[in-house]
Amino acid sequence: MTTGVGVLVREKKVREKKDGLPRQLRDRARLAAVAATELLDTGPEQVFEDLAGLAARVTASGRAFITLVDDRRSFWKACIGVDATAIEDRQNPVEESFCHFLIGLDGAPFVVDDAANDPRTRDHPSVDSMSIGAWAGYPLLAAGGEVLGSFCVIDDSPRVWTPADLTTLETLARSVGAEIGLRQSLTAARKAHTLSADLAHSLQQGLLPPALPRVPGVEVAASYLPASRAGRSDIEVGGDFYDLFRTRGSSWAAVLGDVCGKGVQAAQVSSMARYTIRAEAGENRSPAGLLGRLNTAMLAQHAPRFLTAVYARFRTTPGGLAGTLALAGHPPALVRRTDGTVREIGAAGQLLGVFDPIRLVDARFRLAPGDLLLLYTDGATEARARPGAPDREHDVFDDADLARTLAATAGLNADDTIAHINHALAARHEGWTSDDTALLALRVPERHPG
C-alpha cells in the first residue's frame, strides 16, 4: 500500500503543467534526442514490426506499439493489432496517449492492470477511445538516458501483467534502444566520411556484453580479438559475438555466434541475433528449438548474412554442472576434463538464415569439478601467419592444434585457460589475425577439502 502511494505522489509531482502533461515532455535535450533518431514520420520497418509482434505474442495482449514521443504526438514506429499503414494514421496526440506517463517517470516503467479503475488513468480519454483494459510499457532510452518513447502492450480487458510479461517487455525495449543507437552511430559515421578504427571498436563492443555476469558455482571467461586491419581506412565491424545471461530460475544460457562477412550488415545480423535469443530464452528450454526460432526470424526479416551459432543452456547441480547445447553450422564445443582429456560436444546442425525447415539437434553434457567447456569461433582454428611470410603462409592452427592446446591447460581456471589459448594463437599468427576470434569458457571449480 505504501509503495502504491509513493508512486502516486511521485507521478503527481511530475505533472506540473496546467495541461496535466509532465514537464519532461518539453525538455529540449529530450526533444533533440527524439529528432536525432530520424525515425519520426518514417514508414514501417520489418525489424521493429517483428519485435512488436513478438511482444504481442509472448504477452498474448493483442496490441503492441513502439513509439517515439515529441512534444505534441506519440508516433507509432510499429503497431501490432491496429489497422494503420499510412504515416498520418500511425500516431495520436500526446495528451491522448499513455506514453506521456512514461516520459514523466524519467526511465521507470508504467504498468496498469485495470485502466478504467486505476486512479492514475481512469479519467484518461484513451481508456474508452482506444479500448484500454490494461497497459504495460517500458521506456526507449537514448544513449544519454533521455526517454525517446515507449515499448508497450495493450489488452482490451483488465489483467495482471506477469513477471514474465514485464521481463519480455524490458528486454525488447532495450533491444529497440540498441538498434536505434547502432543506426545513429552508423549514420553519423557515414555523414562524417571518416570511419575510424575507434568507432569500429566501439560498435564491436556494442555487440558484446560489457562484462560477463557472475554465475554462482561457475567460473566464466571470454575474449574477443578482431581480425587485423593493417592498411585499411574503412570500418569493418566483425560478426562474431557472445553472450551469457540468466534465462529462468536457476538456468543460464551461453551463446556464441559468427555472422558471415563483416561490416554494417554483419553487425545488424549480430545485434538481431542477440536480442532475439534473449527474448526467446525464457520461453524455450530446448537450445535446438531456440536456434530454430532465430532461424525463422532471420528468414522472415530477409537477413542479408547467414549465421553459425552454438547455444548452451545449463544449471549447476550437486555434482557440478548439467546442460544441453545445439550447433547451427558451428564448430563443436570442447570439454576439457580434469585429467586433460578433451572431447567434442554437439551434433552437426545447419547454419541459420538459409534453410527452412532447419535440422538442429540437442546434445546433453555434464561438467564435474575441474571440468571446462569451451565455445569458440572458427578464427581459433584458422590462425595463420601473415600472407607472404616465408614458409609460414600455409601453417594453419587447426582443430587438432586447438584440442592439444586446450588439453595442456589441465588444472587452469577459466581466465588462465583463455589466456593460454590466446597466447598459443598469437605465437602462430605473430600479431596478424586472418579472422575475428571469440572464445567463451565455463568451468566448475575444483573442491578442496576443508
Side-chain angles (χ1 to χ4, degrees), residues 422-441:
N422 280 325
H423 180 76
L425 291 170
R428 184 64 58 93
H429 60 58
E430 298 180 336
W432 182 88
T433 52
S434 60
D435 196 4
D436 303 330
T437 304
L439 305 172
L440 176 60

Side-chain angles (χ1 to χ4, degrees), residues 106-361:
D106 288 329
F110 186 71
V111 180
V112 179
D113 293 336
D114 187 348
N117 292 302
D118 192 301
R120 301 169 296 176
T121 58
R122 62 191 175 197
D123 297 324
H124 198 281
S126 62
V127 172
D128 291 328
S129 64
M130 292 189 68
S131 300
I132 300 177
W135 195 96
Y138 277 77
L140 302 180
L141 299 177
E146 301 89 353
V147 181
L148 303 173
S150 76
F151 193 114
C152 66
V153 289
I154 300 175
D155 200 307
D156 293 346
S157 303
R159 61 179 284 179
V160 175
W161 301 102
T162 68
D165 294 333
L166 300 181
T167 298
T168 296
L169 285 176
E170 183 180 17
T171 300
L172 293 176
R174 286 200 305 266
S175 299
V176 173
E179 172 71 13
I180 293 173
L182 178 62
R183 290 181 178 208
Q184 289 178 295
S185 297
L186 296 175
T187 298
R190 283 193 292 265
K191 288 181 177 179
H193 297 291
T194 305
L195 304 174
S196 67
D198 288 342
L199 179 57
H201 177 74
S202 175
L203 291 174
Q204 189 68 63
Q205 292 306 307
L207 301 177
L208 305 173
L212 291 177
R214 294 173 62 92
V215 181
V218 181
E219 298 172 0
V220 299
S223 70
Y224 170 79
L225 182 65
S228 299
R229 300 284 180 259
R232 298 294 298 273
S233 60
D234 59 320
I235 183 172
E236 282 197 320
V237 186
D240 286 17
F241 68 93
Y242 62 82
D243 203 359
L244 177 67
F245 57 94
R246 187 190 294 273
T247 58
R248 176 184 289 180
S250 61
S251 293
W252 290 77
V255 60
L256 188 144
D258 184 357
V259 178
C260 171
K262 313 228 181 309
V264 175
Q265 290 184 334
Q268 289 176 332
V269 173
S270 293
S271 179
M272 184 271 286
R274 279 194 66 204
Y275 64 63
T276 301
I277 287 170
R278 280 194 170 234
E280 292 283 348
E283 303 299 321
N284 205 322
R285 295 183 179 275
S286 162
L290 183 142
L291 292 178
R293 292 284 294 171
L294 175 57
N295 183 66
T296 299
M298 291 179 67
L299 292 174
Q301 295 183 28
H302 304 288
R305 304 292 179 88
F306 64 78
L307 164 70
T308 74
V310 51
Y311 176 85
R313 182 185 177 98
F314 64 92
R315 60 181 177 82
T316 56
T317 68
L321 181 151
T324 307
L325 64 77
L327 307 173
H330 203 81
L334 297 178
V335 168
R336 183 205 69 199
R337 300 300 181 190
T338 307
D339 62 1
T341 302
V342 173
R343 71 183 185 94
E344 296 181 347
I345 299 292
Q350 295 172 308
L351 51 84
L352 305 173
V354 178
F355 302 101
D356 184 19
I358 191 169
R359 186 185 69 254
L360 302 169
V361 180

Side-chain angles (χ1 to χ4, degrees), residues 12-143:
K12 184 177 180 180
K13 286 181 178 180
V14 300
R15 290 170 166 270
E16 298 178 4
K17 289 288 184 178
K18 291 182 180 181
D19 58 8
L21 298 175
R23 294 173 59 88
Q24 296 92 324
L25 192 70
R26 298 176 177 86
D27 179 78
R28 291 184 179 180
R30 193 195 74 81
L31 293 174
V34 172
T37 67
E38 299 184 351
L39 293 176
L40 289 172
D41 298 314
T42 60
E45 294 184 54
Q46 196 64 49
V47 61
F48 296 116
E49 295 291 317
D50 285 347
L51 286 170
L54 180 61
R57 291 194 302 273
V58 171
T59 63
S61 57
R63 284 179 285 171
F65 297 78
I66 295 173
T67 72
L68 284 300
V69 181
D70 58 19
D71 59 344
R72 60 185 180 83
R73 43 78 185 264
S74 174
F75 175 72
W76 310 338
K77 179 58 183 175
C79 55
I80 300 298
V82 177
D83 185 15
T85 54
I87 289 177
E88 58 268 25
D89 296 330
R90 297 170 70 89
Q91 56 188 295
N92 62 343
V94 68
E95 61 269 18
E96 297 179 13
S97 168
F98 275 20
C99 292
H100 68 72
F101 291 111
L102 272 175
I103 305 299
L105 292 175
D106 288 329
F110 186 71
V111 180
V112 179
D113 293 336
D114 187 348
N117 292 302
D118 192 301
R120 301 169 296 176
T121 58
R122 62 191 175 197
D123 297 324
H124 198 281
S126 62
V127 172
D128 291 328
S129 64
M130 292 189 68
S131 300
I132 300 177
W135 195 96
Y138 277 77
L140 302 180
L141 299 177

